[in-house]
Amino acid sequence: MPPSGSEASGQPPGAVRPGGTPERDDALIRAVARAVEVTGAHAGSVFLVSPDRRSLVLSAVSGTPPSLLGGWRRIPVSSAIPVAVAYRSGRTVHLSGAEETMRRFPQLAMALPYAFGSASVQVGAGDSAFGSMAVVWAAGPDTQGLSKAQRRRLRATADRLGAALAELRARGELGESDAETGPVAVPTRPAPAVRVGLFDWDLDSGALVADDELCAIFGIAPAAFDGRAATLAARIDDAVLPGLRSAARTAVEEGHVLAHALRIRDGDGHRTVELWGRVPDAPDPRARAHLVGAVLDAGAGMAAVEAIERLEDGFFALAPDGRVTYANHGLERLLRIRHDDLLGRRPWEVLPWLADPAYEDRYRATMISQQPVSFLARRPPDQWLVFSLHPGSRGMTGWAARVTGPLPADAAPGAAVAEEAAVGTPSPPAPRLGTLYRVLQLGSALTEAATAHEVCDVVAEQLLPAFGGQRMALYLLSEHRWQLLSQRGYPTGLLDRFEGSPLRAGVPVSDVLLAGAPLFIESRQEFARAYPGVRPSASCAWAFLPLISSSRPVGACVLGFDEAHRFPDGERDLLTALGGVIGHALRRARLYDDEFAVAHGLQDALLPHRLPTLPDVRVAGRYLPATRGMDIGGDWYDVIPTRDGVALIVGDVEGHNVAAAAVMGQLRSAVRAFAAAGQQPGEVISRTNRLLLDLNPGPLASCCYLRLDAGSGAARLVLAGHCPPLLRRPGGDTEALDLPCGPLLGVAETAAYPECALHVAPGSIVALYTDGLVEQRGSDITSGIDRLRTTLAHARADSLEELADRLLRDARRAPHRTDDIALLLSRYAPAPGR
């Protein structure tokens, strides 16, 4: 279901305003937890559409924290990312593993180059689309992904969430989705490692009130407990029982807290628990003979911790976001860092020699792919350590140890960083992986942008949602003057005053290009201090980025924000890197545009600009270029008057470049010359074939040639590896003519091209076309020809020009046409009495 338009409330259906309500958060948490459960995935997320409907905002997560996803809090709705595609199309996007992800979504594979599978579905209700839901699972070489049943359950979960959000919106309780406040996290269930039992012990009477958990710790069924302390004491090791009684009496008499370790009989062995108690505060003196407290049973956990603490090797635990939650003393000694300085921090943030992005990438790979990873790192000055990471649902466990054996030459990707730290030379902070992958993702999208216009679209779609900006302007520098190439978010005409202005100092957009460094202004007050004589735009914060390629100034990019905006160091680094990527893409696109102008001019000169007016035949022709590549190709059509009627031809030279257009021009000229000389249709095509072989250009060609006698309606047709023509009779009956077909032009010099006779009744329409009109991805050409035949049969035929536009309507709407199209319609309409 596609995203819908505005509603009477003025708020777009599905749009979510910033600041989520508790009811919405509860619905998101339940949905994400359910999605992970029904699919067996290890991570899930929900993205909700922003109020301006340009972005999908990360609103709820489970398993994998947002920081591991490269910091993508916003995803452009128009981007080629699975969650965005699922939101726009309403279809499930299922990627079984890394290979399919790379093949279908190279931008996602570039941003997250790990072995994982994913499924994305739309979250909607009725005509409203609220966003998308995605789950991620570990994908090995033979992983098939989710079963059909799992996908169905995932879609059902998303539909239930959509219904819940629709109900909240109807009550005005949906609230907002704000990327700045961050997504809600689904809480993980704590491991049942510690049991706690409560008690109230009367030391004078020996009565003891115990809860069910305390009975279970002592191995007694709650229903069988008789309320006597002696019954529990029978389960305690005889050697420690006298000490417990003495400590309890002393705690009551002196009023201090009782802390005592107990050994409880457990089958043939013993286990240790801890007892904590205190005297209750009560006015009744008799209550002072009581102890209230708890018994803690840590199982084997405490013994395991004590054992790990005695080891020389380092052991640690990391939360899902990479922060250290536990580190033994052996790790402190290995890393040479205090325990308090490490806990709650990410290792690569507090240890300079682990700051190389390659180490953080190891952690991300482990969490996203759920596969163990080992790697080597060098601790300054020359001590090598081996690290091993093992993932789990609540984070991961790690192990570290010294390396004593020989090392491979490429052991440590961060060796250069470690070397600088060893000699005391300060090194620049390594870029975060989110920065690197954002650059890679934008670079991947820009590789598909051929023209300057497409580059501008990609930049606007990627930068504005990613950084929360509301305005963007792209300027080109042409002969030391500024030319506005594209703008988003500015009122019409607001930037006209800058058009054609010279490159001069004292203006922000010029200063950044002259200095070759970006400029970040976080408030209007800061702008007024920096440029007191310049009137700012409606924005309240700006990022001015120079666009430079191969040391040559190309232009500048300006991002504007409605409110004051702080640019932290990571964001400044990221925008600076993206400015370089955009500069290279824009310079390449300008060269492409120049080449395209030349090629398009050549093709325009070769195609007929005006078709002849004939007394008994009406004609209409159309040419539609491809939307990818150079937008030119070798398709052509022509109408050639002859002594006894007219010759009609449609042809297609393989390729989409200047060479194809040049061959097309040569073939068109040859056909016109042979037809004007009175040659029969078969001879015209045979001679054209031999001419193509003599020219030896390389590409092959196909064509359909028809000669019509205007006086009698008799026609002769020749096909050379081409689609069959369509004939619509006066009553509307339409068929694809089943005719013998010769080979492609340029294959063999002795090829034969048979002629076929046809009678065209007055009022009939003949359609000649190239395969670009009937070929579609995922279906065979026969089905495409039948669809065209059906459209021609049922369309209005009052005007041949309108009919041609109707036949091309669907093709014009296709955003990615990989082939050009030629169409030639003719109606036999002899004058009355002929």
Side-chain angles (χ1 to χ4, degrees):
M1 99 186 87
S4 56
S6 302
E7 290 188 335
S9 64
Q11 188 76 349
V16 183
R17 299 185 306 274
T21 62
E23 293 81 2
R24 192 206 69 170
D25 292 345
D26 289 345
L28 293 176
I29 290 173
R30 287 194 299 268
V32 173
R34 176 65 176 168
V36 172
E37 178 185 353
V38 300
T39 59
H42 69 261
S45 58
V46 171
F47 291 79
L48 297 181
V49 66
S50 61
D52 60 9
R53 307 194 69 80
R54 296 192 310 189
S55 309
L56 293 172
V57 180
L58 182 61
S59 303
V61 293
S62 173
T64 303
S67 59
L68 291 190
L69 303 180
W72 304 128
R73 295 291 178 89
R74 302 182 186 91
I75 294 178
V77 165
S78 58
S79 64
I81 299 297
V83 291
V85 174
Y87 168 74
R88 295 195 307 266
S89 66
R91 297 191 301 270
T92 300
V93 181
H94 179 260
L95 305 171
S96 60
E99 183 177 347
E100 186 177 6
T101 302
M102 175 61 76
R103 184 176 69 254
R104 295 176 55 190
F105 293 92
Q107 291 186 36
L108 176 65
M110 188 73 72
L112 297 171
Y114 310 116
F116 67 93
S118 67
S120 303
V121 295
Q122 186 191 75
V123 174
D127 293 332
S128 298
F130 293 94
S132 296
M133 173 183 288
V135 292
V136 176
W137 60 87
D142 301 323
T143 303
Q144 300 300 317
L146 302 183
S147 66
K148 290 183 178 180
Q150 288 174 315
R151 283 180 249 177
R152 185 169 59 251
R153 289 193 288 267
L154 177 63
R155 288 192 295 267
T157 302
D159 291 342
R160 283 194 291 270
L161 175 59
L165 296 179
E167 183 179 350
L168 290 173
R169 186 185 62 191
R171 301 202 308 259
E173 300 175 359
L174 183 56
E176 305 177 340
S177 184
D178 185 5
E180 300 303 324
T181 58
V184 296
V186 177
T188 58
R189 296 179 181 177
V194 178
R195 294 189 296 172
V196 180
L198 305 179
F199 67 86
D200 183 341
W201 181 11
D202 185 339
L203 273 69
D204 289 342
S205 65
L208 188 144
V209 178
D211 66 357
D212 292 350
E213 192 67 26
L214 184 71
C215 294
I217 292 174
F218 278 80
I220 300 174
F225 180 56
D226 57 6
R228 298 172 55 246
T231 303
L232 298 183
R235 301 282 178 147
I236 300 175
D237 186 2
D238 295 338
V240 300
L241 194 55
L244 171 62
R245 293 192 180 111
S246 175
R249 286 291 178 188
T250 302
V252 168
E253 293 171 359
E254 299 181 0
H256 63 71
V257 174
L258 170 65
H260 204 81
L262 303 177
R263 296 184 66 199
I264 298 178
R265 295 186 180 93
D266 187 4
D268 295 332
H270 294 80
R271 53 191 171 90
T272 301
V273 299
E274 294 182 11
L275 185 147
W276 294 76
R278 67 177 180 84
V279 177
D281 296 327
D284 188 351
R286 290 174 299 179
R288 296 190 59 84
H290 282 251
L291 278 176
V292 295
V295 172
L296 281 71
D297 180 9
M302 294 303 298
V305 170
E306 292 176 1
I308 290 175
E309 290 294 339
R310 291 192 292 269
L311 296 176
E312 290 294 325
D313 293 343
F315 289 87
F316 55 94
L318 301 179
D321 64 355
R323 300 181 188 276
V324 178
T325 57
Y326 167 77
N328 72 338
H329 291 299
L331 187 70
E332 291 184 71
R333 293 188 293 269
L334 280 177
L335 303 186
R336 295 179 179 173
I337 184 172
R338 293 177 59 249
H339 188 266
D340 293 342
D341 294 336
L342 187 59
L343 284 183
R345 305 286 298 278
R346 298 181 179 91
W348 50 85
E349 293 176 347
V350 295
L351 296 169
W353 50 277
L354 284 179
D356 190 288
Y359 298 125
E360 183 184 351
D361 184 65
R362 304 286 186 173
Y363 174 78
R364 291 162 57 94
T366 306
M367 281 300 298
I368 295 176
S369 68
Q370 290 290 291
Q371 299 295 323
V373 170
S374 297
F375 60 92
L376 296 171
R378 185 171 62 180
R379 187 198 68 198
D382 55 4
Q383 178 62 62
W384 289 86
L385 305 178
V386 58
F387 289 84
S388 181
L389 304 177
H390 298 263
S393 60
R394 298 176 182 84
M396 69 175 62
T397 302
W399 167 77
R402 291 182 176 85
V403 178
T404 58
L407 294 167
D410 57 349
V417 175
E419 187 67 28
E420 292 176 355
V423 297
T425 303
S427 59
R432 294 269 59 81
L433 282 175
T435 300
L436 298 179
Y437 290 144
R438 179 75 77 175
V439 173
L440 291 175
Q441 186 188 35
L442 179 62
S444 175
L446 287 174
T447 58
E448 302 178 9
T451 67
H453 177 73
E454 291 176 349
V455 169
C456 294
D457 287 344
V458 169
V459 172
E461 292 166 0
Q462 294 279 345
L463 287 191
L464 288 180
F467 295 95
Q470 287 73 42
R471 300 173 185 84
M472 184 213 72
L474 266 177
Y475 289 95
L476 279 178
L477 187 65
S478 178
E479 297 181 356
H480 296 280
R481 291 187 175 273
W482 290 111
Q483 173 190 347
L484 180 63
L485 185 61
S486 177
Q487 65 91 10
R488 297 287 176 90
Y490 290 95
T492 302
L494 181 66
L495 303 180
D496 290 348
R497 68 180 187 271
F498 300 111
E499 188 69 22
S501 60
L503 177 68
R504 57 182 176 83
V507 179
V509 72
S510 296
D511 285 350
V512 296
L513 201 60
L514 292 171
L519 174 64
F520 301 97
I521 299 180
E522 299 182 339
S523 65
R524 295 181 69 86
Q525 294 78 7
E526 185 179 341
F527 188 98
R529 290 193 299 268
Y531 295 94
V534 179
R535 180 165 60 94
S537 64
S539 300
C540 294
W542 299 262
F544 297 91
L545 308 177
L547 306 182
I548 300 173
S549 175
S550 302
S551 302
R552 298 181 181 179
V554 177
C557 177
V558 182
L559 296 182
F561 300 80
D562 280 345
E563 299 178 355
H565 183 86
R566 189 177 67 86
F567 296 94
D569 291 342
E571 193 167 292
R572 294 182 181 224
D573 294 342
L574 174 55
L575 285 169
T576 301
L578 293 179
V581 174
I582 297 168
H584 285 291
L586 200 54
R587 181 165 179 258
R588 171 180 51 80
R590 293 185 66 187
L591 296 175
Y592 177 94
D593 288 340
D594 292 342
E595 182 181 353
F596 171 76
V598 174
H600 195 272
L602 170 63
Q603 185 182 38
D604 188 61
L606 295 175
L607 286 172
H609 288 185
R610 184 180 61 182
L611 296 178
T613 301
L614 305 171
D616 299 316
V617 180
R618 305 290 182 264
V619 292
R622 295 288 187 273
Y623 174 78
L624 202 61
T627 58
R628 310 298 293 174
M630 284 295 294
D631 285 355
I632 65 169
D635 288 18
W636 92 95
Y637 62 87
D638 206 355
V639 178
I640 309 165
T642 62
R643 290 191 296 267
D644 52 359
V646 62
L648 310 172
I649 186 168
V650 162
D652 182 2
V653 179
E654 65 176 355
H656 302 89
N657 48 40
V658 176
V663 172
M664 175 268 287
Q666 293 172 317
L667 294 183
R668 177 173 175 246
S669 299
V671 170
R672 289 188 69 90
F674 296 143
Q679 300 288 334
Q680 294 298 316
E683 187 63 22
V684 169
I685 301 305
S686 294
R687 290 194 174 191
T688 303
N689 174 57
R690 290 194 292 270
L691 176 64
L692 181 59
L693 288 167
D694 290 340
L695 294 173
N696 194 26
L700 305 177
S702 68
C703 71
C704 176
Y705 182 87
L706 181 148
R707 190 184 69 182
L708 176 64
D709 187 333
S712 63
R716 307 287 292 181
L717 292 94
V718 177
L719 288 179
H722 203 79
C723 303
L726 302 181
L727 174 64
R728 169 173 164 158
R729 296 182 174 84
D733 180 54
T734 305
E735 67 172 316
L737 300 178
D738 186 11
L739 307 173
C741 184
L744 291 167
L745 302 178
V747 174
E749 186 174 355
T750 58
Y753 297 95
E755 293 184 15
C756 300
L758 176 70
H759 177 72
V760 181
S764 298
I765 298 175
V766 178
L768 310 183
Y769 54 93
T770 56
D771 56 5
L773 183 58
V774 292
E775 279 189 325
Q776 291 185 4
R777 180 176 297 180
S779 64
D780 59 272
I781 193 170
T782 303
S783 300
I785 294 174
D786 190 62
R787 284 193 297 268
L788 180 63
R789 181 198 62 78
T790 302
T791 303
L792 179 59
H794 294 90
R796 290 175 57 92
D798 302 339
S799 166
L800 216 58
E801 297 291 337
E802 293 179 1
L803 179 60
D805 291 335
R806 173 65 184 87
L807 297 180
L808 290 178
R809 185 179 64 183
D810 292 342
R812 290 185 188 277
R813 293 175 177 175
H816 302 296
R817 289 192 310 276
T818 58
D819 201 0
D820 45 344
I821 298 170
L823 172 67
L824 182 60
L825 300 179
S826 61
R827 185 204 305 272
Y828 180 44
R834 292 196 60 175

